[in-house]
């Protein structure tokens, strides 16, 4: 093993400036045995690096090669497997676990001992040694043959010092003087020993020569010792004298310390007494104000407010440790508590009386507003109560129970007062809407509550009377769900609009003023909300609050905002039902009123939401807006349903259908109402539904008409629709306007062709035969040679239609058209002009056939185009 160690040192580690400290012959556990060596090495240069190197014999020769190296710092655990029994197996835990079997237990123990010493010396015990005997882990005890190598080499490494330049030079000179030093080391060492003995003798002789100087030095030292003894005697006497002075100074110092301590205690005691007196002393004036202060006068309220604030400051003083154990402090705190309880009861009682008195005083003014559509002003009451706002804040922070009781009492008294005022106000509004008390009973109004009773009027079927003028037709149209202007004219609707706007304009400032007052008087924040989901507010109507508050515990901001909303709901609980009743009445009077209400209510909701989306006013008006929108949708649905149910008379001509006229009225009214409105989108959707219903049902009625031709019904009604849409310029109905124009044009052309028919019937049949022969392949100029279509037959047919007969036929046609068309739409001249153009077109067609098929025959019609124009003009003027 020693030979192998020297060989490894020479061949592998010396070239790398490393020193081999320990070696063990191992093989891997559990596999085919392939021997290798684990070597513990250190570098010869600083800083020292310690490594475990695996060395393996080369397969190609007898030399060794370095296979893998680990730094000792990477070694985590050394597992010897068994600390008692001899076992050659051991594990080294680097980045993974390496299992080894040593050739002998002694080599394993020597190697582990070396690793432990290197760990102790360079790594400071960072490696865990498991199942290792404690004898191996003692640095001073040698272990095996490698111990001397390990210890000696480590010390050699630590004590090694590099030669300086001068030492190297001296060694070289000495080596040059002894050329045989290299070949004969013993002779060289003997020579060095003789030279060292010569140098030692020279040193001894030099010392003996300096004996005289040594004696002189010794004498001087004796004299110095005597001087030192004298100085020590003097210092001892001085120390004895100072000892007495020290004792006196200690006594004086102790006395001064006691005086200083006493003075410090007195100052602290005075400071504590001043603190208690300054912070726990309530002025007699404040005590008197709390006990007997006048809560009715402004001066008394101010005095009570100041006294309450002073009392609160005294009660909220942060006492220092130990103060609460003083009897005087306990008595003063009890006195403050009694004062607080007494004043809180007095304040609550007074404010309850003020709430009750306000209800009586305000009731006396209701008669003044009964004839006017205005609500009583509560500003004076709010102004008087706001003087107590600071006292309410004090009560909220000191006695929340009484504060909550006042809140409930205020809601109870004010809700009854507002209920009377608002119901009377809505009663006046309903009377003004319906005109008189008798008319209000007609619509189901009974009593001061203003509730609507009765059932909705039944819907009657529409009929068209037989007279030919518009007035007789309008009088024959039955009520379409109260949507016709026959019941209420524009002035009545404008009146309703103003009344409804006045109602909303009176309610809005009333609610906002009350909400602002509640916030200020009860010290509740309403404009600073915490993001997130609001906590569910407790029922303020209940007798016992579900929340439990300690005295002076403030509410979270979100709860305060919710409390304002709940108070407003309790106080103004009658507003929403009263508004719904008023809306129902307006809808019963005239369903077109839902248009006015939708616009006004939308505007007020939009305004309220801009101020505070979660406020009582915004929420209430939003709920009512849902009802208004539902009524508006119902109005549109009723119109469409009544279009589908319309019936026409079999004996009279149709004319403009009633629902077409109703759509014109609705659209004109809606455009004037919804101008610049926030909910224009709702109207556009309604337009789309209505116009589709109009189109479908116009065609349905036209198909069912017996007296009036289908084309006339379609032509007149779609012309009316087109004219209405063109006049109103409704942007969302542009496509429908173009469709109506197309339908009007198509049915006008169809009616003209149908009505004109064949005014020259025999001549028309004759030329139809001519065209048939040409279609069979006969040339046009050869048609005259056909027996049935020769010139004589043509002249015979033409003679049957002289100008007088043509004029007579056109006159009969004009009367027939006049009988079909209605006066309202005034389309007679338009239709007559179209018939004139169609007749001239047929005339030109016949002349063209004569010129082509009978060239040079000289055969012409008995009348000319100018005669046709004169006939049509004279007929139109005569009628």
């Amino acid at each position: 093993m020693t030979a192998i160690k020297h060989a490894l040192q020479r061949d592998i580690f010396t070239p790398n400036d490393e020193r081999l400290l320990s070696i063990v012959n191992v093989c891997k556990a559990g596999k085919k045995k392939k021997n290798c060596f684990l070597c513990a090495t250190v570098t010869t240069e600083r800083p020292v690096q310690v490594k475990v190197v695996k060395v393996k014999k080369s397969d190609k020769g007898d030399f060794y090669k370095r296979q893998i190296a680990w730094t000792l710092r990477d070694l985590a655990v050394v597992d010897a497997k068994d600390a008692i029994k001899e076992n050659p197996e051991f594990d080294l835990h680097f980045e993974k676990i390496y299992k080894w079997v040593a050739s002998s237990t002694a080599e394993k123990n020597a190697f582990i001992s070396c690793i432990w010493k290197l760990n102790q010396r360079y790594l400071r015990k960072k490696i865990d040694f498991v199942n290792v005997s404690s004898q191996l882990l003692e640095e001073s005890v040698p272990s095996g043959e490698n111990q001397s190598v390990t210890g000696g080499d480590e010390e050699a490494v630590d004590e090694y010092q590099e030669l300086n330049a001068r030492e190297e030079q001296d060694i070289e000179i000495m080596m040059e003087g002894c050329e045989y030093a290299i070949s004969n080391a013993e002779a060289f060492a003997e020579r060095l020993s003789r030279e060292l003995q010569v140098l030692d003798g020279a040193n001894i002789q030099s010392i003996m020569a300096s004996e005289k100087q040594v004696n002189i030095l010794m004498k001087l030292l004796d004299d110095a010792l005597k001087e030192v003894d004298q100085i020590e005697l003097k210092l001892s006497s001085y120390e004895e004298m100072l000892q007495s002075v020290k004792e006196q100074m200690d006594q004086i110092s102790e006395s001064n310390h006691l005086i200083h301590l006493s003075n410090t205690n007195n100052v602290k005691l005075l400071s504590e007494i001043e603190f208690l007196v300054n912070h726990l002393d309530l002025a007699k004036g404040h005590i008197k104000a709390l006990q007997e202060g006048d809560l009715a006068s402004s001066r008394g309220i101010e005095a009570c407010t100041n006294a309450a604030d002073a009392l609160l400051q005294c009660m909220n003083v942060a006492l220092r440790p130990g103060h609460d154990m003083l009897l005087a402090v306990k008595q003063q705190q009890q006195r403050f508590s009694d004062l607080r309880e007494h004043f809180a009861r007095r304040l609550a009682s007074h404010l309850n009386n003020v709430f009750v008195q306000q209800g009586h005083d305000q009731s006396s003014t209701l008669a003044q507003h009964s004839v006017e559509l205005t609500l009583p002003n509560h500003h004076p009451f709010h102004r008087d109560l706001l003087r107590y706002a600071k006292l309410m804040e004090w009560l909220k922070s000191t006695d929340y129970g009484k504060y909550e009781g006042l809140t409930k009492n205020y809601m109870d008294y004010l809700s009854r007062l507002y209920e009377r005022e608002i119901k009377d106000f809505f009663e006046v509004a309903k009377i003004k809407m319906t005109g008189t008390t008798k008319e209000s009973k007609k619509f189901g109004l009974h009593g001061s509550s203003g509730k609507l009773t009765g059932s909705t009027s039944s819907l009657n079927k529409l009929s068209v009377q037989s007279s030919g003028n518009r007035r007789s037709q309008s009088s024959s149209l039955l009520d379409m769900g109260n949507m016709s202007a026959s019941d209420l004219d524009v002035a009545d609707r404008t009146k309703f609009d103003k009344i409804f706007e006045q109602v909303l304009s009176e309610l809005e400032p009333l609610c906002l003023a009350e909400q602002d007052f509640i916030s200020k008087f009860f010290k509740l924040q309403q404009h600073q909300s915490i993001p997130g989901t609001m906590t569910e507010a407790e029922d303020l109507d209940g007798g016992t609050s579900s929340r439990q508050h300690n005295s002076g515990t403030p509410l979270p901001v979100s709860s305060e905002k919710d409390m304002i909303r709940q108070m407003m709901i309790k106080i103004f609980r009658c507003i929403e039902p009263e508004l719904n009743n008023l809306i129902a009445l307006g809808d019963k009077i005239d369903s077109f009123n839902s248009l006015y209400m939708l616009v006004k209510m939308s505007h007020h909701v939009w305004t309220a939401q801009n101020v505070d989306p979660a406020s009582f006013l915004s929420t209430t008006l939003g709920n009512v807006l849902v009802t208004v929108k539902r009524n508006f949708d119902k109005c549109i649905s009723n119109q469409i349903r009544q279009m589908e149910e319309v019936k026409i008379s079999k004996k009279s001509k149709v004319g403009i259908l009633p629902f077409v006229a109703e759509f014109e009225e609705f659209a004109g009214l809606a455009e004037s109402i919804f101008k610049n409105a926030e909910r224009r989108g709702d109207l556009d959707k309604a337009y789309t539904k209505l116009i589709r219903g109009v189109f479908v049902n116009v065609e349905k009625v036209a198909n069912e008409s017996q007296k009036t031709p289908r084309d006339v019904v379609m032509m007149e009604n779609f012309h009316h629709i087109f004219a209405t849409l063109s006049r109103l310029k409704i942007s969302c109905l542009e496509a429908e306007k173009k469709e109506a124009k197309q339908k009007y044009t198509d049915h006008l052309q169809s009616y003209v062709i149908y009505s004109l028919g064949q005014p020259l019937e025999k001549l028309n049949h004759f030329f139809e035969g001519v065209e048939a022969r040409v279609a069979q392949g006969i040339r046009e100029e050869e048609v005259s040679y056909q027996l049935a279509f020769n010139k004589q037959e043509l002249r015979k047919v033409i003679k049957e239609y002289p100008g007088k007969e043509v004029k007579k036929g056109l006159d009969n046609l004009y009367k027939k058209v006049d009988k079909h068309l209605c006066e309202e739409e005034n389309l007679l001249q338009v239709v007559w002009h179209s018939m004139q153009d169609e007749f001239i077109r047929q005339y030109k067609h016949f002349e063209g056939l004569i010129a082509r098929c009978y060239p040079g025959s000289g055969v012409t019609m008995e009348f000319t185009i100018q005669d046709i124009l004169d006939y049509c003009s004279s007929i139109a003027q005569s009628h």
Side-chain angles (χ1 to χ4, degrees):
M1 184 64 72
T2 303
I4 295 175
K5 180 177 179 183
H6 287 302
L8 294 177
Q9 176 69 54
R10 181 185 67 246
D11 298 336
I12 296 178
F13 299 113
T14 299
N16 292 329
D17 294 330
E18 293 178 305
R19 186 179 300 276
L20 177 59
L21 301 182
S22 182
I23 185 172
V24 59
N25 184 7
V26 296
C27 62
K28 289 188 178 180
K31 290 188 177 181
K32 186 176 181 181
K33 296 186 180 292
K34 289 185 180 181
N35 289 342
C36 59
F37 296 98
L38 293 180
C39 304
T41 67
V42 295
T43 58
T44 58
E45 296 181 354
R46 292 180 181 275
V48 176
Q49 294 184 4
V50 185
K51 298 180 180 178
V52 176
V53 182
K54 179 183 176 184
V55 176
K56 185 179 180 183
K57 197 170 185 179
S58 174
D59 297 334
K60 296 180 181 180
D62 294 333
F63 62 91
Y64 293 92
K65 65 177 181 180
R66 187 188 192 115
Q67 188 175 20
I68 188 170
W70 303 275
T71 62
L72 195 63
R73 294 186 180 278
D74 295 336
L75 181 59
V77 179
V78 175
D79 187 357
K81 297 297 183 179
D82 196 331
I84 301 173
K85 296 180 181 180
E86 292 186 358
N87 187 350
E89 296 181 2
F90 67 99
D91 297 343
L92 299 181
H93 294 219
F94 290 102
E95 75 279 1
K96 65 178 184 178
I97 300 174
Y98 293 90
K99 298 181 180 291
W100 306 101
V101 179
S103 59
S104 67
T105 306
E107 287 186 18
K108 181 189 83 168
N109 293 340
F111 183 76
I112 292 175
S113 178
C114 181
I115 295 294
W116 182 81
K117 291 177 180 179
L118 292 174
N119 174 50
Q120 293 292 103
R121 187 170 189 84
Y122 298 107
L123 302 185
R124 295 174 184 171
K125 302 181 180 179
K126 292 185 178 178
I127 302 175
D128 292 334
F129 289 83
V130 182
N131 299 321
V132 179
S133 173
S134 60
Q135 295 178 357
L136 294 178
L137 303 182
E138 294 179 2
E139 185 175 9
S140 60
V141 179
S143 176
E145 64 177 79
N146 290 323
Q147 179 60 35
S148 61
V149 176
T150 304
D153 288 342
E154 286 185 2
E155 291 176 2
V157 171
D158 291 339
E159 294 175 0
Y160 170 77
Q161 293 184 357
E162 187 177 0
L163 296 177
N164 56 34
R166 184 176 177 181
E167 290 173 342
E168 288 180 358
Q169 186 178 2
D170 291 342
I171 291 174
E172 288 176 359
I173 293 171
M174 184 176 61
M175 296 290 285
E176 288 174 359
C178 300
E179 296 179 356
Y180 59 87
I182 304 302
S183 61
N184 192 348
E186 293 180 357
F188 179 65
E190 183 178 353
R191 179 180 175 179
L192 291 180
S193 178
R194 288 198 302 267
E195 289 179 358
L196 180 60
Q197 291 175 1
V198 172
L199 289 176
D200 288 341
N203 287 334
I204 293 171
Q205 289 176 2
S206 176
I207 293 171
M208 292 177 66
S210 60
E211 182 178 358
K212 184 177 180 180
Q213 286 82 359
V214 172
N215 291 333
I216 296 171
L217 180 61
M218 295 299 291
K219 184 178 179 182
L220 291 174
L221 289 174
D222 291 339
D223 294 339
L225 289 174
K226 292 178 181 179
E227 291 293 334
V228 170
D229 292 338
Q230 292 177 3
I231 293 173
E232 286 183 352
L233 291 174
K234 289 182 180 180
L235 289 176
S236 297
S237 63
Y238 293 157
E239 186 177 2
E240 291 176 359
M241 288 186 289
L242 289 174
Q243 185 63 33
S244 62
V245 176
K246 179 179 179 297
E247 293 176 357
Q248 295 175 6
M249 292 303 297
D250 289 342
Q251 293 177 358
I252 293 172
S253 175
E254 186 176 357
S255 177
N256 288 338
H257 174 70
L258 294 175
I259 293 171
H260 177 71
L261 183 60
S262 176
N263 185 50
T264 302
N265 290 336
N266 290 334
V267 171
K268 289 184 177 180
L269 180 59
L270 179 61
S271 173
E272 296 294 331
I273 293 173
E274 287 178 347
F275 173 81
L276 293 175
V277 171
N278 292 336
H279 291 87
L280 294 181
D281 185 30
L282 188 62
K284 293 182 179 180
H286 289 334
I287 295 174
K288 184 176 180 181
L290 293 173
Q291 292 177 341
E292 305 173 359
D294 184 10
L295 290 171
S297 65
S298 298
R299 182 174 297 179
I301 293 172
E302 183 178 1
C304 290
T305 302
N306 294 334
D309 289 340
L311 175 62
L312 186 60
Q313 290 179 3
C314 291
M315 297 187 69
N316 290 340
V317 170
L319 296 177
R320 297 170 184 172
H323 284 176
D324 54 352
M325 301 179 66
L326 297 176
L327 179 61
V329 173
K330 292 180 179 179
Q331 291 175 349
Q332 191 74 344
Q333 287 179 332
Q334 184 61 42
R335 186 181 183 191
F336 290 157
S337 297
D338 295 340
L339 277 174
R340 182 191 65 189
E341 292 293 330
H342 174 74
F343 182 68
R345 286 195 302 271
R346 204 160 66 88
L347 177 63
S349 177
H350 177 78
L351 289 177
N352 278 326
N353 292 335
V354 173
F355 297 159
V356 174
Q357 185 63 33
Q358 164 64 12
H360 294 315
D361 294 344
Q362 200 74 14
S363 298
S364 61
T365 63
L366 291 178
Q368 301 175 8
H369 301 273
S370 59
V371 295
E372 300 176 3
L373 195 58
T374 58
L375 282 166
N377 188 1
H378 288 250
H379 176 69
F381 174 59
H382 292 165
R383 181 192 58 213
D384 293 341
L385 277 179
L386 283 176
R387 298 181 300 169
Y388 301 96
K390 290 185 177 179
L391 289 175
M392 283 298 294
E393 184 178 12
W394 175 87
L395 189 63
K396 180 182 178 182
S397 61
T398 58
D399 193 339
Y400 193 83
K402 289 186 175 57
Y403 168 83
E404 197 171 33
L406 277 176
T407 303
K408 292 179 179 179
N409 290 338
Y410 178 83
M411 289 188 294
D412 291 340
Y413 293 130
L414 267 294
S415 61
R416 291 195 290 268
L417 173 62
Y418 275 119
E419 187 171 4
R420 293 196 300 271
E421 293 177 354
I422 291 171
K423 286 187 176 181
D424 290 345
F425 171 74
F426 275 94
E427 182 66 23
V428 174
K430 293 169 185 175
I431 292 174
K432 288 183 176 292
M433 283 182 182
T434 55
T436 63
T437 305
K438 290 182 179 180
E439 290 176 348
S440 66
K441 291 181 179 179
K442 170 185 173 183
F443 290 100
L445 295 178
H446 300 286
S448 60
S449 64
K451 294 183 179 178
L452 295 176
T453 59
S455 60
T456 58
S457 57
S458 60
L459 299 172
N460 298 318
K461 295 182 179 180
L462 296 169
S463 63
V464 182
Q465 302 299 325
S466 60
S467 67
N469 58 59
R470 178 181 173 87
R471 179 175 299 174
S472 63
Q473 277 189 346
S474 299
S475 62
S476 70
L477 299 179
L478 298 180
D479 181 19
M480 291 179 63
N482 290 325
M483 293 182 64
S484 174
S486 60
D487 291 333
L488 288 176
D489 55 14
V490 176
D492 293 331
R493 289 173 179 159
T494 304
K495 174 184 175 184
F496 174 84
D497 183 38
K498 290 180 178 179
I499 293 172
F500 193 72
E501 172 64 23
Q502 179 69 17
V503 169
L504 296 179
S505 299
E506 287 289 323
L507 289 176
E508 186 171 335
L510 181 72
C511 294
L512 291 177
E514 184 63 32
Q515 180 169 314
D516 186 60
F517 167 75
I518 289 174
S519 174
K520 292 177 179 178
F521 181 70
F522 292 100
K523 293 299 176 182
L524 300 172
Q525 299 184 38
Q526 60 174 331
H527 296 302
Q528 299 177 356
S529 84
I530 297 175
T533 306
M534 277 195 175
T535 58
E536 183 179 357
E538 70 284 353
D539 185 8
L540 292 177
D541 289 337
T544 303
S545 174
S546 60
R547 297 174 303 168
Q548 298 296 329
H549 293 282
N550 295 327
S551 178
T553 302
L555 285 170
V557 175
S558 57
S559 297
E560 290 188 354
K561 186 175 180 180
D562 195 61
M563 186 175 178
I564 293 176
R565 187 171 61 85
Q566 292 296 325
M567 290 180 69
M568 292 291 292
I569 291 174
K570 174 71 182 297
I571 292 172
F572 292 107
R573 57 192 174 192
C574 63
I575 284 184
E576 186 171 339
E578 288 295 333
L579 272 174
N580 287 332
N581 289 340
L582 187 70
I583 290 167
L585 174 63
D587 192 58
K588 181 175 285 190
I589 293 173
D590 183 0
S591 61
F592 276 10
N593 285 336
S594 61
L595 278 70
Y596 291 98
M597 291 187 286
L598 181 62
V599 172
K600 296 298 181 185
M601 188 62 70
S602 299
H603 176 70
H604 283 271
V605 169
W606 179 80
T607 304
Q609 287 182 342
N610 283 341
V611 175
D612 185 0
S615 65
F616 163 78
L617 181 65
S618 177
T619 304
T620 301
L621 294 182
N623 294 339
V624 176
L625 177 61
V626 173
T627 302
V628 173
K629 177 62 170 58
R630 191 177 294 118
N631 289 345
F632 174 76
D633 294 340
K634 182 180 177 182
C635 170
I636 302 302
S637 300
N638 284 340
Q639 289 191 66
I640 296 174
R641 179 173 54 82
Q642 290 159 7
M643 291 177 194
E644 297 169 352
E645 295 176 355
V646 68
K647 300 295 180 182
I648 58 174
S649 173
K650 296 181 180 180
K651 297 181 180 181
S652 61
K653 60 183 176 182
V654 177
I656 302 302
L657 292 170
F659 55 79
V660 174
E662 287 294 335
F663 175 77
E664 179 184 14
E665 178 188 4
F666 174 84
L669 179 63
E671 286 300 307
S672 64
I673 295 173
F674 278 81
K675 186 177 182 181
N676 301 325
E678 286 85 0
R679 297 188 64 104
R680 175 75 197 193
D682 294 331
L683 180 61
D684 290 344
K685 293 178 182 178
Y687 276 149
T688 304
K689 293 179 181 178
L690 283 175
I691 199 69
R692 285 293 105 200
V694 170
F695 278 20
V696 170
N697 287 286
V698 166
E699 190 165 355
K700 173 188 172 186
V701 172
N703 293 333
E704 296 175 353
S705 174
Q706 298 180 4
K707 180 75 175 178
T708 305
R710 177 180 183 276
D711 287 328
V712 172
V713 177
M714 298 286 284
M715 173 186 66
E716 288 182 329
N717 283 278
F718 279 107
H719 177 267
H720 192 85
I721 294 169
F722 171 71
T724 299
L725 297 180
S726 299
R727 174 172 55 85
L728 296 178
K729 298 179 180 179
I730 302 173
S731 59
C732 68
L733 297 181
E734 280 298 317
E736 285 76 6
K737 182 179 76 172
K738 294 178 182 178
E739 183 180 353
K741 182 180 179 181
Q742 186 63 42
K743 286 181 179 290
Y744 154 68
T745 304
D746 293 345
H747 288 285
L748 169 62
Q749 188 67 25
S750 175
Y751 176 67
V752 167
I753 294 174
Y754 168 78
S755 299
L756 188 63
Q758 299 174 351
L760 309 175
E761 184 176 1
K762 293 182 179 180
L763 190 61
N764 191 70
H765 285 311
F766 180 84
F767 282 111
E768 283 180 355
V770 171
E771 290 175 341
R773 295 295 186 278
V774 172
Q776 291 172 1
I778 299 176
R779 297 170 59 186
E780 290 182 342
E781 58 269 18
E782 296 178 357
V783 171
S784 60
Y785 298 107
Q786 297 289 323
L787 183 63
F789 301 102
N790 57 27
K791 297 177 183 178
Q792 291 74 16
E793 291 296 326
L794 175 62
R795 288 191 180 95
K796 186 186 300 182
V797 173
I798 289 176
K799 286 182 180 180
E800 292 186 13
Y801 293 101
K804 182 177 180 182
E805 288 296 324
V806 171
K807 182 179 181 182
K808 181 179 178 182
L810 289 174
D811 187 63
N812 291 333
L813 178 62
Y814 186 90
K815 292 177 181 178
K816 179 181 178 183
V817 172
D818 185 32
K819 185 177 180 181
H820 286 163
L821 299 179
C822 67
E823 295 181 3
E824 295 92 331
E825 208 56 26
N826 197 23
L827 289 177
L828 179 59
Q829 294 305 318
V830 175
V831 174
W832 184 244
H833 189 271
S834 298
M835 287 184 170
Q836 172 186 294
D837 293 343
E838 177 64 19
F839 188 64
I840 292 174
R841 186 193 65 76
Q842 289 187 15
Y843 180 88
K844 290 180 179 180
H845 177 64
F846 294 155
E847 280 194 334
L849 286 174
I850 291 173
R852 292 193 304 275
C853 297
Y854 304 93
S857 64
V859 179
T860 60
M861 303 288 283
E862 293 285 326
F863 55 93
T864 64
I865 291 177
Q866 184 61 44
D867 292 335
I868 295 175
L869 294 174
D870 292 340
Y871 297 158
C872 290
S873 176
S874 114
I875 290 172
Q877 290 176 2
S878 65
H879 289 279

